[in-house]
């Protein structure tokens, strides 16, 4: 296997952290998906979260492959699991997913800054698609949350209009 030039120690640590966080998010999404498998009231969430779990897992693997391809060592930090054991409603799960995605975006931005400071153009080129995908993911989640709130409000208004009795 022909190695690319090894990444700096700083970049290697940051890549390990991003990969670990991608896998952490994958596990959170899998947990969310399992909460909504049999929930007829939240039908779209199970499939969405399951798909996202696979995507994030694949992203984590791609960062690890990049690291190994450069001849660096994998050393994934442990990330504390979510405090949430029950996602309650789909909207709560979406809001938590948005928090996770925003944190991942910050980690990717930090990695980009570190790569730029180390003049690592290969890493900058590799990361570009992940940053683009993050922006799309965050926009999608924000739209889903807004739509869900509008739908929730409409349902509530209809319930208030129903005759009592």
């Amino acid at each position: 296997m022909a190695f690319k030039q090894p990444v700096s120690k700083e970049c290697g640590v940051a890549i390990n952290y991003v990969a670990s966080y991608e896998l952490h998010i994958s596990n959170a999404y899998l947990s969310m998906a399992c909460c909504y498998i049999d929930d007829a009231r939240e039908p779209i969430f199970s499939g969405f979260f399951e798909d996202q779990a696979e995507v994030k897992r694949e992203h984590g693997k791609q960062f690890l492959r990049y690291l190994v391809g450069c001849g660096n060592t994998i050393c994934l930090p442990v990330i504390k699991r979510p405090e949430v054991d029950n996602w309650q409603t789909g909207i709560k799960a979406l809001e938590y997913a948005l928090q996770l995605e925003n944190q991942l975006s910050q980690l990717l931005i930090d990695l980009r800054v570190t790569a730029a400071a180390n003049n690592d153009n290969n890493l900058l080129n590799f990361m570009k698609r992940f940053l683009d995908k993050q922006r799309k993911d965050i926009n999608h989640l924000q739209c889903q949350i807004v739509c869900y709130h509008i739908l929730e409000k409409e349902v509530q208004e209809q319930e208030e209009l129903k005759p009592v009795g």
Side-chain angles (χ1 to χ4, degrees), residues 9 19 25 33 37 44 56 63 72 74 109 122 134 136 165:
K9 183 172 179 145
I25 292 175
I37 287 176
I44 62 165
K56 295 302 175 185
F63 275 100
N72 291 78
I74 294 174
I109 290 166
N122 290 331
Q134 266 315 104
K136 290 175 186 172

Side-chain angles (χ1 to χ4, degrees), residues 27-147:
N27 289 339
Y29 276 135
L30 185 59
S31 170
M32 292 173 195
C34 291
C35 284
Y36 299 111
I37 287 176
D38 296 324
D39 193 341
R41 296 167 298 150
E42 311 281 6
I44 62 165
F45 293 117
S46 179
F48 171 76
F49 290 138
E50 193 167 333
D51 290 345
Q52 285 301 105
E54 288 301 314
V55 167
K56 295 302 175 185
R57 182 172 175 269
E58 186 57 37
H59 287 178
K61 287 170 38 180
Q62 288 173 16
F63 275 100
L64 295 175
R65 287 184 190 123
Y66 182 87
L67 201 59
V68 168
C70 291
N72 291 78
T73 304
I74 294 174
C75 185
L76 297 174
V78 175
I79 297 175
K80 188 178 175 195
R81 73 176 195 79
E83 296 289 329
V84 181
D85 288 323
N86 179 351
W87 302 103
Q88 298 169 1
T89 64
I91 192 67
K92 295 274 190 219
L94 283 173
E95 289 168 345
Y96 188 75
L98 182 59
Q99 288 176 19
L100 292 171
E101 295 292 352
N102 281 328
Q103 178 63 34
L104 178 58
S105 286
Q106 189 57 57
L107 293 173
L108 289 169
I109 290 166
D110 293 347
L111 176 57
R112 181 180 62 192
V113 168
T114 303
N118 284 278
N119 296 316
D120 193 333
N121 291 326
N122 290 331
L123 180 53
L124 289 168
N125 289 333
F126 172 76
M127 305 184 47
K128 184 178 178 343
R129 64 189 153 131
F130 295 100
L131 286 163
D132 292 342
K133 175 95 172 70
Q134 266 315 104
R135 279 189 284 278
K136 290 175 186 172
D137 287 350
I138 286 173
N139 287 338
H140 177 76
L141 282 169
Q142 288 170 332
C143 288
Q144 289 297 316
I145 290 168
V146 168
C147 289

Side-chain angles (χ1 to χ4, degrees), residues 6-37:
V7 297
S8 69
K9 183 172 179 145
E10 280 181 303
C11 287
V13 168
I15 292 169
N16 270 296
Y17 199 86
V18 167
S20 186
Y21 202 78
E22 291 272 13
L23 298 172
H24 168 75
I25 292 175
S26 175
N27 289 339
Y29 276 135
L30 185 59
S31 170
M32 292 173 195
C34 291
C35 284
Y36 299 111
I37 287 176

